Each structure stands twice: as C-alpha cells, then as structure tokens.
C-alpha cells in the first residue's frame, strides 16, 4: 500500500517549523515518529497535502531538569524516557508507561509528543480504504455512522496512548507553539473526550514540551496495561496510579485510565478516598470501582467492553496495592 | 509529484537518487537501491521484517520516509556480513535453526546486531525483550535464543583469540 | 563409530546463508525489465450479483495499461477435482467481502491503487450467509447453485457398532466444542510474477513463466493450464524462496492465476504482491469448527465408542474443504488410539466469508482439541490419571484400524513415557498450588497422503541426480522448500547414500522445466515421499559408481563401500575404514562448523595416498563416467497399495504410509481475577521415525507446538456480518517473543520400516496436542473445562465466574458460556442501522438482525 502524495517539509528549528505551518495552504499534518501516522496514511485516514517532518528539530529532543521540575522535549523517543535515570527515579510511573508502549523498535521511533497526540482508535476506523468502504465508513472518517454506538452522533473511538495516564497522575503540563504565541496547558485540559476531535491542538500548532512538576516528584507509581500479546499491542485498557506516602499513610494519590474512553481520564475521587489513610484491601477495591466507573468502553476492540471495564478495576486495585506496599519513602 | 534528489548513506556508502517525497525508506531500499533483504510483512508497523538501523538504533524502514533519512547512517541486513563472510550471528542463526523460512530473519539480524552492539553480554530476559518487536511465524523463537547465545559465545571466543 | 555420516547430524539449512544475509530472493524481491504492477479490486459486499463493470475511467488514467475482469478468463478451477468453483476474477457474482472483481495493471503500485478507485462496479446485493448452522438451512440464495443447503459435502461413516459400543460403556460423556477460525499468517505475503515470452515461430506471446510463492508448483502449472487454455508444457512455474506457507500457499491462490491473466492482457510481465489485508482475504486457513462429541469409556479406562458430528464453516469456495472434513473424521477415529466403534457425521458448509483450506495439521486440529479434552474429562470421571487412560487405549501395531488406516511404526507409548518423565508428571500432577496446573494430550499426523488429490498411478515424487566429473552432485527435486528444510533433507539423503560430503551436493528444486514432478509441500509428505525418491535416485547412481569402482579394485559392486568421500574395497575398509571414516565424517558434517566445502585440501591429501583397494569419491566418479558416459539416476516413490485405505466413500483421505506421534505436557498458571493464562513450559515428545537433521526436526516440532499455543490462547479471526474485523498482524495476534514459552522438544525415533532411513513427518503432528494440553492444564489449575478456543482471558474469566454463582458475570458477546459454547458468536456493534450503512440486501443478516432487535439503542454492542 502506497502513501498518499504530499509535499515534505523538513524544518531544522522550531521557529522554522512554526512559520512553515503558518505559511502553508491546504491540509497540513505534522509528523514525529510516524509509528501511528504512517500506517494510518496508508489506510487513507490522513491525506495531507503538506507533511511537516519534525525529526530534524533537535531542540525539541531531550530531558532537562529545571527549577520547576522536569522538562521533556516532545520529540524525545519513548525508549529514551524508558531508560532515563532521572525519570526512573523521580517519576517512575512515566518510565513504566513508556516501557509498556508497543515494542522496543517502535519505542525507538515513537516520541512522547506523538504518544500524547495519538489518534484515537477503533476496529471500525483503523482499516484500509477498501475495508471502510465495505462497512459504509464511520463518523470519524468519511461517513456519518457509528458502528459501536448505533444511532449515536458522537465518535467513541478510544484514546490508546500509554504515557498520557502516567502524565495525568503526575499533573503534567504541556507547551504548545503556534505562529503567534506559545501557550501552556494542563494535560488534563488538553483532551476533548470525543473520538473525532480528540484534543485541543490547532492544525497549525505543535506540541513542544512536557513539564513534570516538582509537586509529584518522587511519587511512587505503577502503570498496568491490558494487552493480549506481551509486546507490540496497543493497550486494550490501561491504568496509572501514583501516590505519595508518609509513614505508611497515603498523603496524595491519583489514578488515570486509558484505552477505555475517547480520552485518557483522571479518575476523580481517589484523593478523597485515600488521603490520610492506610491502604486496605477494601480501599483498594473502592479505587478499582472508581476507575471502572470512569471507564466507558464500547466495542472498539476485539475484547469485549465488559471485560475491559472489569480489568481496569482489577488493574487499578492491584497497581495501588503494589505501589503502597513496596517500601515507603 | 516532483521527486527530490537525495543522498542516503547505506551500509557505509553514499547513494544519490531521485525519490518521491512519499517514498518510504523500505521502498527506496528495495526498489531504487535493489537491497531487497529488508522485507515487507505487514502494512501496520507491527511485524518488524523491515527493521534497519538508523544511527545505531533499530527502526522500521516501512515507517520512515526515505527523504527524511538523509544525513543518517542506515544499516541493512546486507551490511551485517563481515568482510564477505557470515558474521557470528548469521552463522549461529543457520546452525541453531534460528531461520526457517527466513522472511523475518533480516529484521532479526538487525535487532540482534543492535542488541549486541549496545550490550555484548545480555541476559536471557534482555535477549527476549530485544526480539519482542519482531514477529516470526516458524520458530516459536526458542531456537533463536540458542542462536543468539551461541553468537555471543563465538564473539567472546573470538575476542579471547585476538 | 556412528551408523551414518550425514544423516542424524545437525546441519545448517543449505539455504540459510541466503536468508541471514538478505541475498536470498523471494518472489517479491524479483523484478524484470518492463515489469508492471497489478492490483486487485475486491468486493465490498459479501454476496452480490455483478450487474456491470466499467473500467473506462481507470483505463484513462495515465500509467494504467490494462484492466482484467472475470470475462477475460472464465474457466473454473479449484485445488480439488470435485471443487472447481473458482474463477480468476468474479464472473457472475461475488461471494465474500474481499472476493476478486478486477485487476488493474499499471506502471507503479501507486497508480494501480489510484485506478482501483476508478473502476465502477454495479452490484445487486443478495442475502448472505455467515453462520454455518443457518447456512445449512438455506433453501434459496445459495452460494453455488449446485450445492443445495450450502453444504459443500457431507459424510456419514460408522465403523464397528457404535450403538453397542456406547452400551458397553460405564460412562458416556457428551459435549459441544467450538474452535474459532485461525489463519496461517506466514510472514511473507503472497506474491506472483508472470511473464510471457514471444514465440519465435508465431511472433505472438507463447510460453509463460510464473515465479510464485507456492507450496505446489505443479498444481499451479496444472490450474494455469486449465484457466489460460495452454498446454502445461508451455507453462513454467518456478518457486523462489518462500517465506512460510503452513498450508496457505498449498493451493492455487487467486493472485497466482490473476497475475498470469493480467500479464496476458497487459502484454507485459506483471507482478502482484498481496497487501497483508489481502492475505487475510485470500486466507484458506483453519475453519471455525463445531464438534458435538460423545465418548464412551469403561471403568478401567477403555474407550468403547466415539461419535462425532462436525460442522466446518468453510467460507465461500470449496478449496480443500472436502479433504478437510474427511481428515477430521479419519484422524479422529484415527491411528492414534484403539477405538473399536466410531461414528462420524461431517458437514462442510459454505458461507459468505473467505474460503478456508488447509492449515498445518489439516483437518485434525480442532477435533483433536475436542477429543483430548473430553478424554481428560473421562479420566476424571472414572478417577484415572490422564496419562494412564491414554496408555490403556494404545494401538497394538502393526495393525489396521477400524476405518482402514494401516499403522506400522508407533512411537506413541515412548512419547507419553518421555513427556511424563521430563515434566515430572507423577510427582507434580495434582500437587501444584491452586492456579497452577499440568495437562497432557496426544496427537498424530500423516507422513503424506497415500492418495494424491488427482487420483492417478503416477508416482507422488520423482527425483533425478546427476554427478559431474569432479564429483559435484546435483539433485533435481520438485520438492518445495518453504522453510521447513526440504532442500537440506534431500541433500543429506543424497550425500549419505552416495557416501559423499554434504558440501558436494547442490539442490535444484521446484522448477517445472528442470525438476521432475513432486506433487507439493503439503500433508507433511516431503521427507517421506521425496526423501524416498531421492534415496532411490541416489542408490541408482551409487550402483553405477560401485560397479565402476569394483572393476578398478578387482572387486564386486556389493563389496564396495562408499562413505565420507571415500570408496573402499570391503577388506581395506576393515583395516583402515573406521578411523578414516571418523575423520572424514567430521568433514562431512562440518557444514555446521567450518563451511561446507573443503574439497580442495581433501582432494590433494587423497591424491598423495592412492592404494589399489581404496579410491577417492572423485576417482570413483571419474571411473563411472568413463564407463557409463553420463552419470545420472532417477528414483520415484508411490505409497504402497496396502497403505491406501479402505473402500468406502471418502476412504481415500486419512491413509498414509506412516504416522507421526506426539505427546505433550503443558504447565500453565491461571490468574483467577483476570482470566489470563500463562504457559510456563511445554514438553513435546515427537516420534518422527528418525531425525535426519535433529536441529531442523526440533525447529519443526517447536514451531508446531508454538503455533498450537497461538491458537489456544491468542489467535482468532473476528467477524461481523462477513467483515473480518482484524485483517492485519496488529490485531490478529500471533504470539510475540515476549510471551512465548520455552518448548522442550524430545525426539523419539521409532525408525519406520518404509521411511527414508526410517524417517517420518515432523512438521505438523505436534500442533494439535498443544491446544488440549493447555485446556487440560487450565482445568488442572482452576477446575474449569473450556470448550471454546482460543482461551482468551475474557473467556477464561467468564468460565471462572460462571462456576461461582455469587460472582458478577462477565458477559461475552452472544452470552455464551465458553464452558458450554452453543453458537458462533460475532463481534459486537452493528453494521447496518437506521436503514443506513452499506448496500446490503434486506434479507442480509446484518439488516435482519437490526429489525429484529428493534429501535436503535445507544449501546447495542452485543446485538446477537
């Protein structure tokens, strides 16, 4: 399967990239690692007239400690995040989530920025043009039907990135550069929770940096991923938990889920349930139930929605117990 | 669509050729440079049969644009052999049954080559993890582990002999 | 001293260097001047009449050379003579989403893909059939008019007295088992390059050469001849390296015919390579199978009777279907256990989905899952160890089974003993903590079908050998190496028989112009049949060499010993032979260590010593060539008449000259909260007669077991109203290295009296046992009997929860309990709703189901 035709732009600096985006007419698409976009272009899910390849913008690559915490360039490969000593020590839930992405070779290519901006996925959507024609297309691309929520007018394709739930529990912020201004938003405010629009990023904007605050530095955490294969797969459900403990008592805690809704979502009510308490099996069950209640899976993947929701409950519970029990800091 | 004149550094040699902007590195290698060792096994970046090294890191040639690889060092399976003879890993894959139909083998050659470049003495777990991005349908991977271990031993013996 | 010099030694496959260096050429790696690219237009509808095709817009596109349609080559073909129901491209109707409608030929892939969008096809939708049990009730809108009720074929067999057998049983167990559909997923997508030559006499296109990723070059030549109306002698089929087959390339796949038709229409060489999605549409994998199985056993564990009703969901065309449904019966009754009374009712059913065909373990795998799982249940019911119940039902060979299968070598008892010992069965079974368990199962397979697809008296394999003056041996074999190592097997047999080193032997294989007929790489026939043909060809040449050498040494041919690149008179071999042979045997086997050719130095060394009672291989060859002229020989193999089976309808499928045997123990753990099954290790003992190349045998056995593991745990084609929901390697999940367990292969050598050097098959027989071994281990771990494969975590969890009434249920699509599967289930969601969606017929299940379900609900994920 060939790729659609496009003009290729290869900026060397962020300024150049942003001005290229501003000048370009027609449908423009930014590409970083390409691990999701290139196959999707083969399937004609994207057919930009201009492709702006960011791989040459080296200033957007790298991990730096700063006064406010940690700064990660959006083009930093997931493999680098996985093996970075600072992240492993200070923000372990992110290292674990990065490690869970796809496979080693794909982690060498895929970037943190790309993982945050990942397109939503659905078995009725991530198919070839010929396949989608045979199902009458869908609301997300080329059609007006939703096959998983018949009669619905919204897209329920799921966000299936592994690192965003980890970033959410770490209270990450992101920086977005446009031609006129640079803005900074909480990651939690970035997503729309709609499968088609998915995120608040203009087509002329670039996600440039990820900031991890000092406030969550040193939080213990874990990421659990439901997958059939031990490698390669996108998550069928995922949960990240992170918490700070003192003397066996939970001070702060957060949980976020992925691959169940059109956006990665923080699970609300966790802190209220856990703060000031010693973790018990009953509390862990409660947190699991909260995570499951946040999940709205539909038949977007091969495993049934019921099972995926059940698993996010189990995974949240187990992750929490494991994190709370592995020695206090 | 206007073609671009690009230069790729493949297996230590610079090659200049005209390339459409939407040409993948895999198609450029296979069609333009006639390096057909790298294979196309899927269309969704899942199988790893096209794995090549880009500046020392294994990556999927089917998921890279050729024009975007200018200025980088590309190593394909054709560049693994040493001085016209089989490299230790190639020999070991033959001897230990690591290659049956051989279609996934070029990808595995690159994956193992990268692993051993970065970590000459990997643990069993590290070997398994390094191979986990490449699919094989013949071997069940078992004999590949034996091959990789044999290659490591052969390299060690070779170093001792020097 | 070893009995053999080359046989039984682990050697690198003779084509392995080409594979590890990237130099080896597969079909898609080939190109030729002026070559064009073909792309196939596929049907978007599961069942429809083609009203008209207008390709004018496509042809007007710059760079498009031709568009081929069904009318360009309307002759029907099919792999089975009784199943000629396919055409190159659809002539009147399409029968599945993905069926082949037209082929665009263009200067590049991109142009051809663009042109596909410009071919206008008008369809008249027809009602479609997706569930085989529905399809069997069809009165109208049949897939093929000549197949009433959409039943491709049904068979009803009874052997012994099943009713009496069940009456003798102390306990009878019944159950429905369902194994969902799986596919080969060979790493190489199918590819074909077809080129015509201009005939110098007529000036028009004449001979056709086809390079193709095929397991069956001769059948391809035959079918091309039928469709193109050309004599076979005008068609040359060449098989380059093939990147795995597993049965998916064991019949003529649409692109192979289409490429030739397209090359004829375009008047230029045409290459077509499938996308991965097209591979899934071409499919021919293992059908979804319903097995209603009943087993009767006595209190002391003897099987008294077995009855099975088997329904295979065959898809839209016959393919190998008739053979598949017969194998299911023949090898269920089979040559594995003593089953005195056996009843079989098999139905091969047509549905509007891609055709199923032959896949590794052809026909036997899904019924073996049912049988071995039920036998485990029987053992539990009578309180007997699962190993013991299998021992109680062994055959006593040589014998002929009730359904007419002749059994000679029978390594099953040893296989069972060895896996039980290696896995620590008696110490550990039943003593592991809850959540961890051991399971055993057995399987067997043919070493080639004793009757070929096209019945004739022709040998199944013929091999030619020629030897050059300097001692270079060339073996011409039609055997198709698809990665299993048949070229290496042939080289080893030739080298061993001729007493020369492996490095002398060059194999020329699978080129219909050069190599004599071998009917193909399927039914695990190549080692037994092509190996025997090679052995006979080599013996014929050896006789000529021995005669000439005997003259030189004043001896008799019977006293000439050829081994290790040397030739001795018997007496001389006695005093110096063994030592010298040891030395040269090292050289002979040194392909593994030092590269395969050491000819120069060896020759020189031998030239220096030249007594009268011994010669070098080259000297003997030269003597023979001087004496006979050209030095060559031929050998062929046809299965013995006694091995060809009984005389009832359908008795032709199942008989084999020999059967392989396998016993396996799986150790698993089950996470009771998630349903995730982890396989820790599988011990697999396989009786391959004799391991000609142990490293290759181990690779084949491990690969088979691993493929069975994939079917047991992860792999499944997921359907929705005829749409394949997972046509790619990302969503059709064959196991990755991360979760693939250690598989210990234990080779058992029963040395078959008729196999070449005693060898039998090694590549398929071990697959089937893996699935029930895992099912039985899951039962041992957590007490659930899963009767629907694959045992995905959600099925396992659903079964676990179903056991505990107080637990929250896990609702699977269709609400079926995987411990008691009832019907085929489909993916959730909805294809057609609110009168919108694709243009399906009003009676199509996708539309009907919707109207039955009532008004649209927001969450109608499991509408069935």
């Amino acid at each position: 399967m060939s790729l659609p035709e496009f003009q290729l732009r290869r900026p060397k600096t962020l300024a150049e990239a942003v001005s290229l985006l501003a000048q370009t007419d027609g449908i423009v698409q930014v590409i970083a690692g390409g691990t999701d976009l290139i196959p999707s272009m083969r399937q004609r899910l994207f057919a930009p007239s201009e492709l702006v390849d960011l791989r040459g913008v080296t200033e957007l690559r790298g991990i730096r400690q700063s006064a406010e915490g940690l700064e990660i360039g959006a083009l930093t490969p997931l493999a680098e995040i996985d093996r970075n000593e600072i992240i492993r020590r200070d923000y372990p839930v992110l290292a674990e989530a990065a490690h869970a992405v796809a496979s080693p070779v794909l982690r060498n290519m895929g970037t943190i920025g790309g993982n945050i901006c990942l397109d939503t996925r659905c078995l009725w959507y991530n198919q070839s043009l010929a396949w989608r024609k045979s199902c009458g297309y869908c609301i997300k691309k080329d059609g007006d039907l939703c096959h998983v929520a018949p009669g619905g007018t919204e897209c329920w394709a799921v966000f299936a990135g592994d690192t965003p739930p980890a970033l959410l529990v770490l209270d990450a912020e992101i920086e977005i550069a446009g031609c006129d201004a640079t803005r900074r938003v909480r990651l939690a405010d970035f997503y729309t929770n709609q499968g088609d629009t998915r995120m608040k990023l203009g087509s002329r904007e670039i996600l440039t940096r990820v900031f991890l605050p000092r406030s969550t530095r040193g939080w213990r955490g874990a990421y659990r991923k439901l997958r059939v294969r031990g490698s390669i797969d996108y998550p069928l459900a995922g949960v990240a938990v992170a918490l700070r403990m003192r003397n066996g008592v939970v001070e702060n805690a957060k949980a976020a889920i992925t691959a169940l809704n059109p956006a990665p979502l923080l699970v609300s009510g966790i802190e209220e349930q856990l703060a000031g308490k010693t973790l018990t099996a009953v509390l862990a069950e409660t947190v699991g139930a909260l995570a499951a209640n946040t999940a709205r899976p539909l038949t977007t993947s091969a495993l049934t929605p019921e099972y995926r929701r059940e698993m996010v409950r189990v995974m949240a519970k187990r992750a929490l117990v494991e994190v709370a029990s592995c020695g206090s800091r | 669509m206007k073609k671009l004149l690009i230069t790729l550094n493949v297996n230590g040699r610079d090659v200049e050729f005209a390339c459409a902007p939407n040409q993948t590195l895999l198609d450029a290698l296979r069609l333009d440079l006639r390096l057909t060792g790298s294979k196309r096994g899927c269309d969704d970046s899942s199988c790893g049969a096209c794995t090549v090294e880009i500046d020392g890191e294994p990556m999927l040639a089917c998921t890279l644009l050729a024009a975007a690889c200018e200025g980088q060092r590309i190593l394909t399976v054709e560049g693994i052999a040493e001085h016209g003879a089989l490299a230790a890993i190639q020999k070991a894959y033959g001897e230990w049954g690591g290659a049956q139909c051989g279609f996934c083998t070029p990808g595995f050659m690159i994956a193992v080559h990268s692993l051993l470049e970065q970590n000459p003495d990997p643990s069993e777990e590290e070997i398994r993890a390094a191979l986990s991005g490449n699919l094989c349908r013949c071997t069940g991977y078992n004999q590949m582990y034996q091959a990789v271990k044999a290659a490591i031993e052969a390299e060690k013996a070779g170093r001792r002999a020097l | 001293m070893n009995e053999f010099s080359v046989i039984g030694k682990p050697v690198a496959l003779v084509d392995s260097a080409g594979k590890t260096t990237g130099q080896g050429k597969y079909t898609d790696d080939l190109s030729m001047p002026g070559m064009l690219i073909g792309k196939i237009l596929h049907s978007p509808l599961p069942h429809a009449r083609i009203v008209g095709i207008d390709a004018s817009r496509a042809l007007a596109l710059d760079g498009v050379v031709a568009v081929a349609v069904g009318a360009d080559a309307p002759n029907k073909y099919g792999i089975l003579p009784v199943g000629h129901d396919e055409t190159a491209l659809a002539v009147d109707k399409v029968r599945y989403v993905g069926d082949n409608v037209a082929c665009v030929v263009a200067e590049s892939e991109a142009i051809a893909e663009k042109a596909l969008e410009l071919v206008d096809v008008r369809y008249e939708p027809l009602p479609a059939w997706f569930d085989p049990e529905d399809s069997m009730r069809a009165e109208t809108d049949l897939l093929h008019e000549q197949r009433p009720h959409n039943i491709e074929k049904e068979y009803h067999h009874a052997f012994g007295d099943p009713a009496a057998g069940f009456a003798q049983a102390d306990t009878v167990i019944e159950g429905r088992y369902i194994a969902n559909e799986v596919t080969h997923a060979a790493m190489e997508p199918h590819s074909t390059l077809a080129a015509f030559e201009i005939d110098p006499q007529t000036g028009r296109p004449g001979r056709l050469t086809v390079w193709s990723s095929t397991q069956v070059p001769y059948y391809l030549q035959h079918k091309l001849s039928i469709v193109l109306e050309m004599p076979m002698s005008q068609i040359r089929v060449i098989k380059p390296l093939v990147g795995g087959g597993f049965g998916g390339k064991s019949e003529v796949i649409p692109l192979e015919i289409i490429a030739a038709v397209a090359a004829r229409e375009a008047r230029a060489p045409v290459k077509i390579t499938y996308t991965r999605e097209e591979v899934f549409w071409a499919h021919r994998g293992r059908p979804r199978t319903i097995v209603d199985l009943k087993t009767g056993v006595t209190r002391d564990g003897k099987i008294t009777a077995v009855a099975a009703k088997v329904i295979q969901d065959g898809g839209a065309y016959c393919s190998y279907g008739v053979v598949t449904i017969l194998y299911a019966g023949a090898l269920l009754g089979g040559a594995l256990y003593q089953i005195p009374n056996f009843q079989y009712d098999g139905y091969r059913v047509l549905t509007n989905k891609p055709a199923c065909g032959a896949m590794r373990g052809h026909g036997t795998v899904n019924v073996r899952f049912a049988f071995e799982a039920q036998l485990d249940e029987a053992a539990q019911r009578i309180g007997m160890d699962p190993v013991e119940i299998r021992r109680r039902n062994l055959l006593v060979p040589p014998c002929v089974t009730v359904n007419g299968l002749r059994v000679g070598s029978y390594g099953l008892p040893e296989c069972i003993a060895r896996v039980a010992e290696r896995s620590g069965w008696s110490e550990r079974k039943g003593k592991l903590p809850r959540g961890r368990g051991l399971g055993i199962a057995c399987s067997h397979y043919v070493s080639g079908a004793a009757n070929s697809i096209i019945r004739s008296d022709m040998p199944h394999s013929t091999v030619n050998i020629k030897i050059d003056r300097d001692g270079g041996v060339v073996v011409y074999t039609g055997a198709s190496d698809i990665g299993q190592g048949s070229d290496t097997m042939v080289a080893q047999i030739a080298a061993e028989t001729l007493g020369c080193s492996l490095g002398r032997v060059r194999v020329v294989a699978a080129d219909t112009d050069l190599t004599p007929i071998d009917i193909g790489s399927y039914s695990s026939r190549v080692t037994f049949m092509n190996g025997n043909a090679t052995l006979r060809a080599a013996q014929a040449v050896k006789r000529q060499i021995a005669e000439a050498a005997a003259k030189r040494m004043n001896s008799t041919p019977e006293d000439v010993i050829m081994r290790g690149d040397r030739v001795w008179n018997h007496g001389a071999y006695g005093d110096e032979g063994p030592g010298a042979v040891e030395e040269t045997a090292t050289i002979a086997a040194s392909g593994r260590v030092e590269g395969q050719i050491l000819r120069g130095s060896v020759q020189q060394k031998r030239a220096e010593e030249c007594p009268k009672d011994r010669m070098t291989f080259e000297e003997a060859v030269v003597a023979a060539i001087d004496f006979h002229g050209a030095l060559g020989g031929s050998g062929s193999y046809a299965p013995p008449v006694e091995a060809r089976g009984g005389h009832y309808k359908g008795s032709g499928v199942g008989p084999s000259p020999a059967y392989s045997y396998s016993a396996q123990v799986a150790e698993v753990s089950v996470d009771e909260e998630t349903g995730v099954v982890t396989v820790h290790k599988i011990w697999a003992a396989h009786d391959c007669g004799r391991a000609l190349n142990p490293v290759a045998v181990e690779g084949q056995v491990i690969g088979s077991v691993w493929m069975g593991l994939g079917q047991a745990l992860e792999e499944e084609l997921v359907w929705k109203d005829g749409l394949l929901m997972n046509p790619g390697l990302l969503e059709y999940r064959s196991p990755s290295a991360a979760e693939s367990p250690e598989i210990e292969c234990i080779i058992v050598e029963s040395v078959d009296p008729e196999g070449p050097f005693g060898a039998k098959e090694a590549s398929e027989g071990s697959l089937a046992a893996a699935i029930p071994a895992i099912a039985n281990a899951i039962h041992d771990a957590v007490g659930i009997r899963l009767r629907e494969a694959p045992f995905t975590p959600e099925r396992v969890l659903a079964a676990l929860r179903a056991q505990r009434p107080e637990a929250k249920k896990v609702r699977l699509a269709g609400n079926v309990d995987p411990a008691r599967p009832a019907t085929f289930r489909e993916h959730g969601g909805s294809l057609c709703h609110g009168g919108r969606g694709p243009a399906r017929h009003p009676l199509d299940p996708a539309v009907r189901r919707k109207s039955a379900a009532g008004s649209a609900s927001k969450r109608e994920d499991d509408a069935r």
Side-chain angles (χ1 to χ4, degrees), chain C residues 73 115 127 162 307 325 328 423 452 466 478 494 614 641 664 713 732 743 765 773 829 842:
Chain C
I325 196 69
S423 64
S452 62
K466 80 159 187 175
R614 69 210 65 176
V641 177
Q664 285 166 46
L713 297 180
Y732 180 85
I743 297 166

Side-chain angles (χ1 to χ4, degrees), chain C residues 704-864:
Chain C
S704 299
V705 172
W706 175 88
M707 200 174 267
L709 171 115
Q711 183 177 352
L713 297 180
E714 300 182 2
E715 295 174 34
E716 176 175 16
L717 294 177
V718 178
W719 297 97
K720 180 67 181 180
D721 294 315
L723 278 184
L724 178 57
M725 299 301 292
N726 53 347
L729 297 181
L730 187 58
E731 297 289 339
Y732 180 85
R733 297 179 171 93
S734 75
S736 78
E739 76 278 14
S740 297
E742 184 190 348
I743 297 166
E744 181 178 318
C745 171
I746 301 149
I747 295 175
V748 171
E749 296 185 303
S750 63
V751 188
D752 188 82
E754 294 175 17
F757 296 100
K760 302 191 287 189
E761 84 87 34
S763 299
E764 303 194 57
S766 274
L767 193 152
I771 304 165
I774 290 168
N776 295 341
I778 291 172
H779 175 265
D780 189 43
V782 291
I784 49 169
R785 294 263 176 217
L786 290 170
R787 296 187 185 86
E788 182 173 355
F791 318 129
T792 53
E794 57 184 353
R795 289 199 179 93
V796 175
L797 190 63
L800 283 164
R801 296 271 178 94
Q803 254 186 342
R804 295 186 294 134
E806 78 287 0
K808 189 178 153 204
K809 295 283 173 288
V810 174
R811 200 167 71 99
L812 294 168
N815 261 343
V816 175
D817 178 355
R820 270 172 218 78
T823 57
F824 280 153
R825 294 186 279 121
E826 294 216 317
H827 186 67
S830 173
L831 183 68
C832 302
H833 41 82
R836 301 181 301 158
R840 293 282 179 96
H841 189 276
L843 291 177
D844 186 284
V847 185
R848 265 189 298 140
R849 192 179 315 127
K850 177 61 212 148
S851 46
S855 62
S857 64
K858 185 158 157 45
R859 294 199 48 207
E860 193 210 45
D861 42 27
D862 302 320
R864 273 167 83 87

Side-chain angles (χ1 to χ4, degrees), chain C residues 491-831:
Chain C
Q492 282 185 286
I493 288 180
E496 184 67 49
T497 309
L498 292 166
C500 69
S501 60
L502 193 60
R504 288 184 186 277
V505 183
R506 179 177 181 79
V507 179
V508 173
D511 176 336
T512 59
D513 266 11
L514 303 179
T515 56
I517 290 185
D518 174 278
I519 56 179
S521 285
Y522 59 94
S523 77
S524 269
R525 53 175 295 286
V526 178
T527 293
F528 203 96
M529 299 191 183
N530 203 275
N532 264 325
T534 306
L535 178 66
R536 290 169 191 183
Q539 284 167 338
V541 182
K542 183 184 179 178
R543 264 194 302 279
Q544 299 171 48
I545 300 174
E547 278 169 23
K551 281 213 163 65
R552 282 286 162 87
M553 300 189 290
N554 294 324
S555 175
T556 60
E558 295 70 39
D559 276 341
V560 171
I561 291 170
M562 295 169 64
R563 194 160 174 197
D565 273 337
R566 294 189 180 193
V567 179
W568 282 272
N569 189 8
H570 188 74
Y573 180 75
D575 12 286
E576 74 142 29
V581 165
E582 269 314 312
E583 175 214 333
T584 47
T586 318
I587 296 167
S590 66
R592 188 173 163 78
V593 185
E594 291 298 337
Q596 290 168 356
I597 298 179
L598 289 169
R599 202 183 291 165
S601 59
V602 174
Q603 268 174 335
Q604 192 164 4
K605 191 171 156 221
R606 282 176 200 146
E608 286 158 11
E609 37 175 271
C610 196
K612 282 279 185 298
D613 51 2
R614 69 210 65 176
M615 308 167 79
T616 65
F617 183 71
E618 290 94 326
E619 286 167 340
V621 164
V622 167
I625 289 176
D626 289 350
F627 185 72
H628 291 285
L631 183 52
S634 193
S636 47
Y637 177 82
V641 177
E642 335 51 284
R644 295 185 192 174
H647 296 286
Y648 54 92
K649 189 165 170 265
S651 64
V653 175
S656 173
Y659 297 88
S660 72
Y661 292 92
S662 180
Q664 285 166 46
V665 170
E667 179 165 357
V668 310
S669 58
V670 180
D671 183 328
E672 292 188 73
E673 215 174 4
T674 63
V676 172
V677 176
T678 305
V679 175
H680 300 285
K681 185 165 179 178
I682 298 178
W683 294 264
H686 185 104
D687 164 25
C688 65
R690 185 189 300 281
L692 302 180
N693 181 358
V695 73
V697 167
E698 280 175 20
Q700 291 305 307
V701 171
I702 292 169
S704 299
V705 172
W706 175 88
M707 200 174 267
L709 171 115
Q711 183 177 352
L713 297 180
E714 300 182 2
E715 295 174 34
E716 176 175 16
L717 294 177
V718 178
W719 297 97
K720 180 67 181 180
D721 294 315
L723 278 184
L724 178 57
M725 299 301 292
N726 53 347
L729 297 181
L730 187 58
E731 297 289 339
Y732 180 85
R733 297 179 171 93
S734 75
S736 78
E739 76 278 14
S740 297
E742 184 190 348
I743 297 166
E744 181 178 318
C745 171
I746 301 149
I747 295 175
V748 171
E749 296 185 303
S750 63
V751 188
D752 188 82
E754 294 175 17
F757 296 100
K760 302 191 287 189
E761 84 87 34
S763 299
E764 303 194 57
S766 274
L767 193 152
I771 304 165
I774 290 168
N776 295 341
I778 291 172
H779 175 265
D780 189 43
V782 291
I784 49 169
R785 294 263 176 217
L786 290 170
R787 296 187 185 86
E788 182 173 355
F791 318 129
T792 53
E794 57 184 353
R795 289 199 179 93
V796 175
L797 190 63
L800 283 164
R801 296 271 178 94
Q803 254 186 342
R804 295 186 294 134
E806 78 287 0
K808 189 178 153 204
K809 295 283 173 288
V810 174
R811 200 167 71 99
L812 294 168
N815 261 343
V816 175
D817 178 355
R820 270 172 218 78
T823 57
F824 280 153
R825 294 186 279 121
E826 294 216 317
H827 186 67
S830 173
L831 183 68

Side-chain angles (χ1 to χ4, degrees), chain A residues 2 128 131 304 307 317-318, chain C residues 113 277 671 673-674 794:
Chain A
S2 62
S128 72
W131 193 101
T304 57
Y307 179 75
K317 178 185 77 174
R318 287 184 173 182
Chain C
E113 284 174 351
E277 179 182 46
D671 183 328
E673 215 174 4
T674 63
E794 57 184 353

